[in-house]
Amino acid sequence: QVQLVESGGGVVQPGGSLRLSCAASGFIFSNYVMHWVRQAPGKGLEWVACIRYDGTKEYYADSVKGRFTISRDNSKSTLYLQMNSLRTEDTAVYYCSKDRLATTVTYSENWGQGTLVTVSS
Amino acid sequence: DIQMTQSPSSVSASVGDRVTITCRASQPISSWLAWYQQKPGKAPKLLIYAASTLQSGVPSRFSGSGSGTDFTLTISSLQPEDFATYFCQQVNYFPLTFGGGTKVGIK
């Protein structure tokens, strides 16, 4: 079955950097759009970014554009989120998710368990 | 950006009740809408996509309707495992956006 396992979360100071990873299994990773979605403590869901199946196109939320970079290594079935210039408001659980469809950005059909990122001095 | 407004923000209901949650988009999004269920400490779960298509494995007591700007999620007979928070999401335009959530609690 589809499995998504995030890692790389932790505590970082404002202005610092962190790279999240999402190891995928149980499906053909290279065929699907992948997403990052975050949830601040006690708050709702916020879509962060997504990347096409072949890595040729990325899309970002305005709140992270220019600071975060989504990427993927299809040979390793792994999704990444490089987070730079972190702010306290980036504190959240970060989920990776697999899209329903192979080549079009649509709905998050499967989700990982999430990894917590805390930005604090 | 497309704003997604859910109402109510919370509702108290009893087992067996019919529960309806609405989601309004600030611009027409055709049927590019999903509903997710999230329980405390857990990842969201896709319930309905394309406004009214039930995701595989989701009980038939869940249904979705609407198109354009106004959408509805209905739980026909609330079960104990349905107490959770529900989010809508539009995927017609970037950035993808979620509604603020509706918490379904026990009356």
Side-chain angles (χ1 to χ4, degrees):
Chain A
Q1 73 280 19
V2 172
Q3 192 166 13
L4 301 167
V5 180
E6 301 95 336
S7 61
V11 180
V12 60
Q13 292 188 336
S17 298
L18 212 55
R19 188 177 85 154
L20 306 183
S21 300
C22 172
S25 60
F27 66 102
I28 303 174
F29 179 77
S30 59
N31 282 2
Y32 289 88
V33 170
M34 296 294 294
H35 301 259
W36 287 100
V37 176
R38 68 184 181 183
Q39 187 169 36
K43 303 297 184 181
L45 301 171
E46 180 186 16
W47 175 80
V48 173
C50 68
I51 186 168
R52 275 172 53 100
Y53 68 102
D54 55 4
T56 58
K57 184 71 175 174
E58 307 142 33
Y59 302 88
Y60 296 93
D62 291 343
S63 59
V64 307
K65 202 174 294 182
R67 301 187 299 122
F68 290 10
T69 302
I70 188 172
S71 62
R72 63 193 298 160
D73 186 338
N74 285 345
S75 69
K76 296 181 178 179
S77 295
T78 302
L79 177 72
Y80 301 100
L81 185 67
Q82 177 66 44
M83 304 186 295
N84 298 332
S85 302
L86 282 161
R87 305 167 180 167
T88 55
E89 56 263 35
D90 296 318
T91 294
V93 173
Y94 285 73
Y95 296 100
C96 73
S97 69
K98 167 191 165 292
D99 203 283
R100 262 202 84 248
L101 296 184
T103 57
T104 306
V105 176
T106 60
Y107 313 101
S108 288
E109 182 175 48
N110 303 91
W111 298 66
Q113 85 288 350
T115 188
L116 176 62
V117 172
T118 302
V119 184
S120 173
S121 54
Chain B
D1 297 2
I2 305 293
Q3 307 302 319
M4 304 301 293
T5 303
Q6 279 185 242
S7 61
S9 57
S10 65
V11 59
S12 295
S14 300
V15 172
D17 284 353
R18 182 183 183 88
V19 174
T20 299
I21 299 167
T22 63
C23 181
R24 175 165 289 176
S26 59
Q27 295 175 208
I29 57 169
S30 185
S31 295
W32 292 102
L33 184 107
W35 290 97
Y36 299 88
Q37 176 193 65
Q38 187 180 33
K39 297 181 178 179
K42 301 294 187 182
K45 173 187 175 183
L46 178 64
L47 297 178
I48 288 170
Y49 62 91
S52 60
T53 303
L54 206 62
Q55 172 70 351
S56 175
V58 174
S60 58
R61 62 181 179 272
F62 291 93
S63 64
S65 65
S67 67
T69 60
D70 294 313
F71 302 87
T72 300
L73 171 70
T74 299
I75 309 172
S76 60
S77 177
L78 197 66
Q79 297 302 299
E81 59 268 31
D82 302 335
F83 292 99
T85 300
Y86 295 84
F87 296 93
C88 61
Q89 181 198 29
Q90 70 81 21
V91 300
N92 197 35
Y93 297 100
F94 289 106
L96 311 186
T97 46
F98 287 91
T102 296
K103 184 175 182 178
V104 178
I106 303 172
K107 182 183 286 185

